[in-house]
Amino acid sequence: MIRALWWFTGLAQLSVFVQVVMGVIMVAAQDRVAPQFHMFYGFVALMAIAIIYSYRLQSPSTATCSTAAAGCSSSAWASGPC
């Protein structure tokens, strides 16, 4: 069950990463001006993914918590608070 949750969490995190990269490409290549808060949220999303991903190898009791946090943070970023 936990392994399947990590796969789905990884897919959600990958989609966030792709969105950030696409935003950077749009701003850099097409000379668009992005609002500062969009760039801030992209940076915060990438940092949250990196921090949560770093907890993946913790003890079993904290692994469940970090998995739940990763799923919650990914879904909150996409659709609002948990």
Side-chain angles (χ1 to χ4, degrees):
M1 177 74 173
I2 296 296
R3 182 177 291 280
L5 182 58
W6 269 114
W7 279 103
F8 290 119
T9 301
L11 287 173
Q13 293 173 346
L14 180 65
S15 71
V16 170
F17 182 76
V18 168
Q19 288 178 11
V20 170
V21 169
M22 288 174 58
V24 168
I25 290 170
M26 284 177 57
V27 168
Q30 299 177 2
D31 292 329
R32 292 184 181 222
V33 177
Q36 293 294 316
F37 67 91
H38 282 296
M39 292 188 284
F40 173 73
Y41 287 139
F43 176 76
V44 169
L46 288 180
M47 296 288 40
I49 289 171
I51 291 169
I52 292 169
Y53 188 73
S54 71
Y55 282 105
R56 75 191 186 288
L57 298 176
Q58 298 294 323
S59 68
S61 62
T62 59
T64 304
C65 293
S66 65
T67 302
C72 181
S73 67
S74 298
S75 65
W77 188 84
S79 63
C82 292

